[in-house]
Amino acid sequence: MTITTVRRGGVVTFRGNPVTLLGEEVQPGTPAPGFTVIGADMAPHGPDENAGRVRLISSVPSLDTDVCDSQTRRFHEELAGLDGVSVWTVSVDLPMAQRRWCATSGLTGAQTFSDHRDLSFGLAYGVVVEELRMLARAVFVIGRDNQVTYAQYVPEVGEHPDYAAAVAAVRAAL
């Protein structure tokens, strides 16, 4: 698959090796880019479904890894119950694999979405790892006004994001 887009090196590493991210870097204070992902129901979904809510979008390489599992659990457990907040986890895992992960993890209420079809989210948010066709680890908070209020591109794909900063950004946007 050939993708023509902005290529950014030196942003993140995977297992200590530099990788190339595809797509523009998203900055706080800018409008949130649109995208289309596939839900567990196999239907297309986009961020407009949650317009008027504070949205945390958690980008992970694969739910079947320890750090991705922990990241998804933590954001879901800390934020999903807050009124006016939506928590989405996006990966390139197939929707069936995401559905299985939700069932076996006990997080049946977690909102997981697949970007496997056309990398719409990954390219819009600049998190596609070109060499591996997966998403880099990142966290974005979008305010009720559809402006990005927080963005973290985790420097090493295998490391955890700054949970406290992301949760604080969600609470500040409420």
Side-chain angles (χ1 to χ4, degrees):
M1 174 180 200
T2 303
I3 300 171
T4 305
T5 190
V6 172
R7 299 174 79 242
R8 299 174 9 253
V11 179
V12 301
T13 58
F14 179 78
R15 296 183 178 162
N17 298 307
V19 293
T20 306
L21 294 183
L22 300 178
E24 298 277 350
E25 181 177 351
V26 173
Q27 297 286 334
T30 61
F35 59 88
T36 302
V37 289
I38 306 301
D41 58 0
M42 298 302 290
H45 294 269
D48 292 344
E49 293 174 22
N50 293 310
R53 296 175 65 86
V54 174
R55 291 158 278 170
L56 180 134
I57 302 174
S58 175
S59 172
V60 300
S62 175
L63 289 170
D64 286 320
T65 65
D66 291 341
V67 177
C68 298
D69 178 284
S70 295
Q71 180 175 333
T72 303
R73 285 175 187 281
R74 181 142 180 202
F75 285 136
H76 177 75
E77 290 167 356
E78 287 192 42
L79 299 171
L82 290 178
D83 190 39
V85 176
S86 293
V87 179
W88 283 22
T89 297
V90 181
S91 72
V92 294
D93 295 318
L94 293 174
M96 293 75 69
Q98 291 178 338
R99 195 169 42 244
R100 178 196 45 76
W101 179 88
C102 287
T104 60
S105 72
L107 291 178
T108 54
Q111 293 186 289
T112 59
F113 297 92
S114 177
D115 201 23
H116 83 281
R117 186 172 289 162
D118 60 9
L119 301 172
S120 174
F121 166 78
L123 292 171
Y125 282 74
V127 294
V128 175
V129 177
E130 181 178 38
E131 295 85 352
L132 303 169
R133 198 181 188 282
M134 67 180 194
L135 304 182
R137 188 172 315 285
V139 181
F140 305 95
V141 176
I142 302 166
R144 295 173 196 251
D145 60 358
N146 204 44
Q147 298 291 305
V148 176
T149 64
Y150 177 84
Q152 180 194 15
Y153 293 85
V154 180
E156 166 56 47
V157 174
E159 297 289 322
H160 289 270
D162 185 340
Y163 296 110
V167 169
V170 167
R171 292 185 184 282
L174 283 174

